[in-house]
Amino acid sequence: HMFLHTYESNRRAIRSYEKVGFRALGKRRRFRPSIGYYQEIKMVLDRQTFIAEHGAKLGRADSRELIASSG
């Protein structure tokens, strides 16, 4: 699995992550002295989802390599 965290207010980035196959796992309230409180979204992308959505765009050797290493 690959994880990322982003600001909930960063809608443009969230849409682009979702297009690649990431999905939201949840959100939490965070604090930074420089900006105060904010909502952070945790997103995840698993290998099988990525291969299913983007495997055809990879070369055949690359696709086989990803599938072999997913176990």
Side-chain angles (χ1 to χ4, degrees), residues 15-61:
R15 282 193 307 271
S16 68
Y17 299 143
E18 289 172 340
K19 285 182 181 181
V20 175
F22 278 90
R23 61 182 170 82
L25 280 181
K27 62 182 177 179
R28 62 183 176 171
R29 187 174 184 218
R30 302 290 308 256
F31 177 79
R32 282 188 134 157
S34 59
I35 61 173
Y37 287 99
Y38 63 95
Q39 291 290 325
E40 177 183 83
I41 295 181
K42 183 176 184 179
M43 301 185 83
V44 64
L45 173 64
D46 62 74
R47 187 181 310 250
Q48 298 301 336
T49 300
F50 182 83
I51 292 170
E53 293 185 18
H54 304 286
K57 297 175 188 172
L58 300 171
R60 290 183 66 164

